[in-house]
Amino acid sequence: MPAPALSWPRHWLAGDRRRSLRRRLLLFLLLPLMMLLVAGAAVTYLGALAYSNRIHDRNLVDSAMALAQLLNQRPAGEKLTAQARFLLEYDPDGRNYFSIRSMRHGITTGSDDLAPSDHPPQLDRGAVLYDTRFFDRKIRVAALVMPNRYEPSDLLTVSVAETLEDRRRRAREILLLAIPTQTVLILAMFALVWFGVNHGLRELQPLTERLARREHDLAPITDADVPEEVQPLTRTIDGLFGRLRSMLNLQERFIADAAHQLRTPLAGLRVHADRLQRPQTPEETADAIGQIQRLVERASRSTSQLLALTRAQSTQVHDLADQTIDLATLIPELVGLRVQEAIAAGIDLGYEGLSQPIWMHGSPTQLQELLDNLIDNGLRYAGRGSMVTVRLSQAAGEILLSVEDNGPGVPSAYLSQLGERFFRVPGGGGDGSGLGLAIAQRIAEYHGAALRYHSGSEGGLVVELRFPAHPAEPA
């Protein structure tokens, strides 16, 4: 029988894939707390060792002074008894040593191998403490100098030493007493952190519930109940909602504009299609087909204009101003592309500009769309036999681009309405869609250009754009 396959709870696996803010916060806080426990233990041990050293040093000095007092009280020539030596050397937690060194006679009593200090004590200056090694053991020594009462010209150095085991043992005992207390404190702090993190994350619950109740509402979510630390996130979401609202509004406007522009051509197509279904003379059939072709062309142009307007409305400034363009080279090329069309329409299309480079930031594709719409407006409404002139100049840190015709022009009462969507001057003729100048207006705005309309010197219309110039020619 095959062994059962191991299976893990799905929420465990999901938890491995997802990043939990609660888990990250707790880990970021738990690890420093554990390091704090270790550091606290080390500090506690060092502090306990320093305290133990201070106490033992004091006792060691007292023992040296007691031995010196004992030497002053013993009769002349009498040596230390065995019991006295035992008491001086006995230590239940380690080992004690002592020596009495005469300046004239050397070691008189005690351990011969107890090394003197590199800085020997002075008479009436108290005891000196120092560390040395006695065979393979590290010891602590307290030494003091006293006069030899039996030889006035001689000095005695009294030294008492002990091993360090007892000092370390006392420090470890203090550490073992402190660790449980520190552990309890750390656990209590961790429990408080756990509670604080969970309680703090619950502050997001009103925002979560408010978002869960929304369906199509894209209003800003930043409100008074949003914590200050979360507001950068909510402001970013509000910005995203704002861009989404703009896109939806743009979509709705496109649908409304398309319905507005295509309603008439589609209705006309239906009428002429019905005409073709009835018996017709060849002339009537040809007329219906011609009408259908014109309506199809109008619908196609309206669709192209709507798409161009949508692109102009949705393009961001940083998407447009990503190239350095020489307008003195670009504009003549774009005008040249429309010459054959102007000749076919019976219009004289010309260009006047400078020979030196004129630099600016912008999008060549969008600038071509802008200029095509301005030239198309002149070709469509100036009338056969008229002139359309494109001019380019630079002055006072600005670039001036203008398109002027000598056609019938636009009455001054309607100049302020030029550039509005679907606006056509009453009685102006032509079969335009009323979107060309609106497209030019949007592209000019995104390039930071000021666009205005005024009457020309010969009575036609002048469309003038002022672009900010590039500060310097690129390398």
Side-chain angles (χ1 to χ4, degrees):
M1 182 175 179
L6 293 175
S7 61
W8 300 93
R10 291 186 177 181
H11 68 278
W12 287 10
L13 299 177
D16 290 339
R17 292 193 299 266
R18 292 193 297 268
R19 299 178 65 182
S20 169
L21 179 60
R22 177 183 288 104
R23 186 183 305 115
R24 290 172 64 86
L25 287 174
L26 292 176
L27 284 177
F28 286 156
L29 293 172
L30 177 60
L31 292 179
L33 288 177
M34 297 301 296
M35 295 174 62
L36 184 62
L37 176 61
V38 175
V43 171
T44 301
Y45 176 76
L46 294 177
L49 185 60
Y51 177 78
S52 178
N53 285 332
R54 188 164 61 250
I55 297 299
H56 279 74
D57 285 348
R58 187 182 303 165
N59 293 335
L60 202 59
V61 171
D62 292 343
S63 297
M65 295 179 66
L67 179 57
Q69 186 177 5
L70 179 63
L71 292 177
N72 283 329
Q73 294 176 353
R74 66 188 178 93
E78 181 180 347
K79 295 185 177 181
L80 292 177
T81 63
Q83 292 83 0
R85 293 177 61 90
F86 174 78
L87 292 175
L88 288 172
E89 296 177 350
Y90 173 75
D91 186 356
D93 297 316
R95 177 69 189 274
N96 288 344
Y97 307 94
F98 76 97
S99 69
I100 301 173
R101 182 185 300 271
S102 171
M103 186 176 65
R104 288 187 171 185
H105 309 292
I107 296 293
T108 59
T109 307
S111 302
D112 297 340
D113 298 323
L114 197 60
S117 172
D118 295 335
H119 304 284
Q122 302 295 323
L123 184 64
D124 299 330
R125 293 291 183 88
V128 172
L129 291 164
Y130 63 95
D131 294 325
T132 186
R133 300 196 68 85
F134 187 74
F135 296 103
D136 293 332
R137 309 179 74 177
K138 188 175 180 180
I139 60 175
R140 182 75 165 169
V141 182
L144 58 85
V145 175
M146 59 176 292
N148 189 344
R149 57 181 294 192
Y150 304 108
E151 294 184 38
S153 60
D154 188 18
L155 293 177
L156 300 179
T157 301
V158 179
S159 300
V160 177
E162 67 177 5
T163 56
L164 304 181
E165 285 83 359
D166 185 52
R167 300 166 180 246
R168 295 168 180 167
R169 185 179 298 109
R170 297 293 177 260
R172 288 194 296 269
E173 290 175 357
I174 296 175
L175 176 63
L176 293 177
L177 290 174
I179 284 181
T181 304
Q182 293 183 352
T183 303
V184 171
L185 290 176
I186 293 294
L187 292 176
M189 291 175 60
F190 181 72
L192 291 175
V193 167
W194 181 286
F195 173 78
V197 168
N198 290 332
H199 181 74
L201 292 177
R202 279 200 295 271
E203 295 294 323
L204 300 177
Q205 191 65 28
L207 176 62
T208 305
E209 294 175 353
R210 193 166 70 247
L211 289 176
R213 290 193 298 267
R214 291 190 177 193
E215 293 183 0
H216 305 289
D217 185 11
L218 295 178
I221 63 175
T222 303
D223 207 345
D225 62 347
V226 177
E228 180 181 355
E229 292 76 12
V230 187
Q231 286 185 5
L233 174 62
T234 57
R235 284 194 291 266
T236 303
I237 296 175
D238 289 343
L240 176 62
F241 281 176
R243 293 191 293 273
L244 185 57
R245 285 197 304 273
S246 299
M247 294 177 61
L248 293 177
N249 292 336
L250 188 62
Q251 182 182 18
E252 292 174 358
R253 291 181 63 181
F254 176 80
I255 295 173
D257 294 345
H260 178 274
Q261 285 297 104
L262 298 179
R263 184 185 298 112
T264 301
L266 292 177
L269 287 172
R270 181 175 181 180
V271 170
H272 294 295
D274 291 341
R275 284 179 57 191
L276 290 176
Q277 291 179 351
R278 297 193 299 269
Q280 300 282 333
T281 63
E283 292 79 8
E284 292 175 336
T285 300
D287 179 67
I289 293 175
Q291 293 289 343
I292 290 175
Q293 288 177 341
R294 285 191 291 274
L295 289 171
V296 169
E297 291 176 0
R298 179 179 176 183
S300 176
R301 175 173 174 76
S302 297
T303 303
S304 299
Q305 292 287 81
L306 285 171
L307 291 174
L309 178 62
T310 302
R311 286 195 301 270
Q313 290 174 333
S314 62
T315 304
Q316 301 297 321
V317 176
H318 59 78
D319 294 330
L320 294 175
D322 57 356
Q323 297 185 38
T324 301
I325 305 167
D326 179 13
L327 291 183
T329 301
L330 177 65
I331 299 301
E333 292 177 355
L334 298 181
V335 173
L337 297 176
R338 304 298 300 272
V339 170
Q340 295 299 324
E341 184 181 349
I343 293 174
I347 294 177
D348 181 11
L349 176 62
Y351 168 75
E352 297 178 5
L354 302 175
S355 58
Q356 68 267 21
I358 299 178
W359 302 101
M360 69 164 286
H361 284 309
S363 167
T365 304
Q366 292 292 322
L367 291 176
Q368 179 179 1
E369 186 78 34
L370 180 149
L371 188 59
D372 280 345
N373 279 282
L374 296 183
I375 294 176
D376 188 70
N377 184 75
L379 299 180
R380 192 173 297 276
Y381 295 104
R384 197 172 187 84
S386 59
M387 297 175 57
V388 176
T389 304
V390 179
R391 294 186 176 89
L392 179 66
S393 62
Q394 184 177 17
E398 289 185 327
I399 300 172
L400 177 63
L401 175 65
S402 64
V403 179
E404 180 180 359
D405 64 72
N406 60 352
V410 176
S412 58
Y414 298 111
L415 287 176
S416 61
Q417 295 179 263
L418 295 179
E420 296 180 2
R421 295 181 309 121
F422 307 119
F423 175 75
R424 298 175 62 190
V425 178
D431 57 351
S433 61
L435 292 174
L437 294 181
I439 295 171
Q441 182 84 31
R442 297 298 297 174
I443 295 176
E445 290 175 358
Y446 280 122
H447 281 81
L451 187 148
R452 67 187 188 95
Y453 310 93
H454 59 86
S455 298
S457 58
E458 300 182 15
L461 176 67
V462 179
V463 183
E464 185 179 88
L465 295 100
R466 294 183 180 272
F467 294 92
H470 194 283
E473 177 181 346

